[in-house]
Amino acid sequence: METSTFGVLNEYPFGTMMSIITIIVVAVFFITSADSATFVLGMLSTGGTINPRNSVKIMWGMMQSAVAAIIVYFGGTQGLQNMLIIAALPFSIVVILMGVSFFKSAHQEQGYWKKQTKKKEG
């Protein structure tokens, strides 16, 4: 499953070149994401400082790297998937509650517009 992208790219002309470009794009994505995460975590951990010290950002980067290494070492991609499912469970409850809130609010809004229409007619 992990190599399917490269298997597909291998069937195209310049497949090796496209595979190298894919690796570079994925690396750039992970590097920029990690840099953004360390910056935000640094800001949050220093009380909202716009430019946190480099030592704070490096500490957060090391912690993120350690967590990623531990997950890959002990569980591989399956462990990562399991962790993401567990982490997403509380958020799914929030999303369900947001849906219920939306329908309640839409029902109230519908009643409001019905009253406004009756006032205009009467």
Side-chain angles (χ1 to χ4, degrees):
M1 192 69 170
E2 290 84 7
T3 60
S4 60
T5 299
F6 299 105
V8 170
L9 291 176
N10 195 35
E11 299 300 318
Y12 287 107
F14 306 108
T16 304
M17 174 99 62
M18 291 172 62
S19 294
I20 292 169
I21 292 171
T22 300
I23 291 170
I24 292 169
V25 168
V26 169
V28 167
F29 167 75
F30 279 115
I31 291 167
T32 55
S33 296
D35 182 50
S36 298
T38 56
F39 183 74
V40 170
L41 288 167
M43 283 177 46
L44 292 173
S45 63
T46 57
T49 305
I50 300 297
N51 291 317
R53 294 187 325 266
N54 284 338
S55 60
V56 173
K57 292 189 289 186
I58 290 170
M59 185 256 324
W60 279 112
M62 298 295 275
M63 289 174 68
Q64 286 178 342
S65 300
V67 168
I70 290 168
I71 290 170
V72 170
Y73 180 75
F74 285 111
T77 56
Q78 186 62 43
L80 180 62
Q81 287 174 349
N82 291 340
M83 186 193 74
L84 290 174
I85 290 169
I86 291 168
L89 182 62
F91 185 70
S92 63
I93 294 169
V94 170
V95 170
I96 290 169
L97 292 173
M98 287 173 54
V100 169
S101 176
F102 169 77
F103 283 112
K104 286 175 68 175
S105 186
H107 183 70
Q108 289 174 349
E109 188 77 19
Q110 183 182 20
Y112 171 79
W113 287 111
K114 284 183 180 179
K115 289 178 184 177
Q116 293 298 322
T117 306
K118 287 182 181 179
K119 283 182 183 179
K120 288 181 182 179
E121 291 174 357

